[in-house]
Amino acid sequence: MKTKKAIYAIILAFALTTFISCKKEANTDSESQATITSLQKQITELTANSTLVNENLIKFDTLDYTVFSNQEWTRLHESHAKNIKVNWPDGHFTTGIEKHIEDLKAMFVYAPDTRIKQHPIRFGSGQYTAVAGIMEGTFTKPMPIGEGKFIQPTGKSFKLPMATIGIWKNGVMIEEFLYWDNKTYMDQIGLGK
């Protein structure tokens, strides 16, 4: 992210320098000043966008590495709006942070060591961020399946790619899209096929 900012700054600084040096050849000083003002505005907008995206990506890292992995649900509001819409890998969606916390907690009932500790891909633009990482854990506790019934743990581990796309407003996500392959997940914990 810092490299992109530096490249933008160099390109825009070069363009600004070129326009300033051409000032003598311009028809009027007002045309040159308008060009300079326009370029300064572009630099400001690019820098602000880059800063905002970087802040949101830092929140995302904290969300997955700390809040999710350590089940610190009281901190979820740091990255999620109260009425967040969450789109799940199986196609259903939920509304509201409390429902999202309930669904997240359910993942830890049977795999209490579930975690995400890396985002090798992380980028964003404007109000959007996207991260890809690895979700892993182990099926070590009984899995509730309703009506007081449980699937006994298999002791098998899972490790699979995941991705999350977030739409941000006022420093928190207002919508989140979660992606991982549920078939691979079930196969790895011994419940597929």
Side-chain angles (χ1 to χ4, degrees):
M1 195 58 68
K2 290 181 182 178
T3 304
K4 273 188 180 178
K5 284 171 64 174
I7 291 171
Y8 287 138
I10 290 168
I11 291 170
L12 290 172
F14 176 77
L16 187 58
T17 304
T18 302
F19 281 104
I20 290 171
S21 67
C22 293
K23 182 177 180 179
K24 295 176 187 172
E25 298 175 17
N27 291 337
T28 66
D29 285 342
S30 63
E31 288 176 4
S32 295
Q33 187 57 47
T35 302
I36 291 168
T37 302
S38 174
L39 288 171
Q40 288 172 331
K41 182 180 177 189
Q42 289 177 37
I43 290 171
T44 301
E45 288 172 0
L46 285 170
T47 302
N49 180 52
S50 181
T51 300
L52 180 63
V53 167
N54 193 48
E55 288 171 1
N56 291 340
L57 286 170
I58 289 169
K59 284 183 186 178
F60 227 124
D61 289 345
T62 301
L63 165 64
D64 277 352
Y65 305 164
T66 305
V67 177
F68 175 80
S69 296
N70 297 327
Q71 303 178 63
E72 295 180 8
W73 309 127
T74 58
R75 294 186 59 193
L76 201 63
H77 71 280
E78 295 172 17
S79 56
H80 288 64
K82 183 177 180 176
N83 292 319
I84 186 156
K85 285 181 63 178
V86 180
N87 301 273
W88 286 85
D90 64 3
H92 86 282
F93 75 92
T94 61
T95 302
I97 195 168
E98 294 304 322
K99 176 61 177 159
H100 190 40
I101 290 170
E102 178 184 321
D103 290 346
L104 291 172
K105 283 180 177 180
M107 295 175 67
F108 288 83
V109 168
Y110 58 91
D113 66 339
T114 299
R115 63 203 174 275
I116 300 169
K117 292 295 186 179
Q118 58 178 304
H119 291 150
I121 300 172
R122 48 193 307 278
F123 62 94
S125 178
Q127 67 183 26
Y128 303 98
T129 57
V131 299
I134 305 296
M135 182 171 68
E136 55 189 309
T138 313
F139 182 14
T140 58
K141 303 286 183 187
M143 178 189 289
I145 57 172
E147 298 179 11
K149 296 180 182 176
F150 295 86
I151 297 174
Q152 292 305 309
T154 62
K156 294 189 176 190
S157 296
F158 60 92
K159 184 175 186 178
L160 64 155
M162 54 69 63
T164 306
I165 297 171
I167 303 174
W168 297 76
K169 184 176 180 181
N170 299 323
V172 291
M173 278 187 286
I174 58 171
E175 190 162 5
E176 182 177 32
F177 298 83
L178 304 171
Y179 297 98
W180 60 79
D181 184 344
N182 273 331
K183 172 77 167 86
T184 299
Y185 179 73
M186 297 305 276
D187 287 349
Q188 289 185 11
I189 64 174
L191 301 181
K193 297 182 176 117

